[in-house]
Amino acid sequence: MELSNIEKLLEKYFEGETTISEEKELKVYFTRETVPAHLERYKDLFQFFSQESTITATKDLKLNTRRKTRYAWVGVAASVALIAGIFLTNQPTKPDKNLGTYEDPEIALQETKKILNMVSQYMNEGKQELVYLKEFENTKNKFIK
């Protein structure tokens, strides 16, 4: 086999793009006694793979599948209980038709002003924190210049 072909196969191997047959070619090539000096470092690697591929299991393993099925039913039961709990606790209630309405327009105006004032206060509190962002932007611009 040509040396350039082996080097291309090595590149493909280390990129994880080789097929099984190409890996077998590399194993056969590197198990030979004579390998070029610059490829000598790969010889031990492929010889190890060749030796390890001949090892077979000497003992049969028995898996306990009975235990798995028992725990599978616990998960199914928990899922059913969770779904039933969600549907039973979230029953729709009748909406109150008078909720948020006022008979007197003056009271409605006062309540609206009160709520808008509260929203304005929260917006202003958030705006105070933006001063730090402006300071950060100025410092960043100094470093950029």
Side-chain angles (χ1 to χ4, degrees), residues 1 9 18-28:
M1 184 174 286
L9 281 177
T18 54
T19 62
I20 301 291
S21 62
E22 291 172 335
E23 289 180 18
K24 286 181 181 177
E25 287 179 42
L26 286 171
K27 286 179 187 177
V28 168

Side-chain angles (χ1 to χ4, degrees), residues 78-104:
S79 300
V80 169
L82 180 67
I83 291 171
I86 289 172
F87 284 116
L88 292 177
T89 58
N90 288 337
Q91 293 178 353
T93 59
K94 294 180 183 177
D96 189 8
K97 293 180 181 178
N98 295 328
L99 185 65
T101 60
Y102 296 97
E103 296 292 328
D104 187 10

Side-chain angles (χ1 to χ4, degrees), residues 113-132 134:
K113 285 182 179 179
K114 189 167 76 173
I115 290 172
L116 288 175
N117 189 22
M118 183 177 65
V119 169
S120 173
Q121 287 175 355
Y122 286 132
M123 293 291 284
N124 288 334
E125 287 176 10
K127 187 178 175 183
Q128 291 172 355
E129 300 297 324
L130 293 177
V131 174
Y132 296 116
K134 287 181 182 177

Side-chain angles (χ1 to χ4, degrees), residues 63-71:
L63 300 176
N64 188 0
T65 57
R66 182 177 163 197
R67 183 176 182 188
K68 290 181 184 178
T69 57
R70 184 182 320 150
Y71 290 118

Side-chain angles (χ1 to χ4, degrees), residues 102-114:
Y102 296 97
E103 296 292 328
D104 187 10
E106 286 297 320
I107 295 174
L109 179 64
Q110 289 174 359
E111 289 296 319
T112 303
K113 285 182 179 179
K114 189 167 76 173

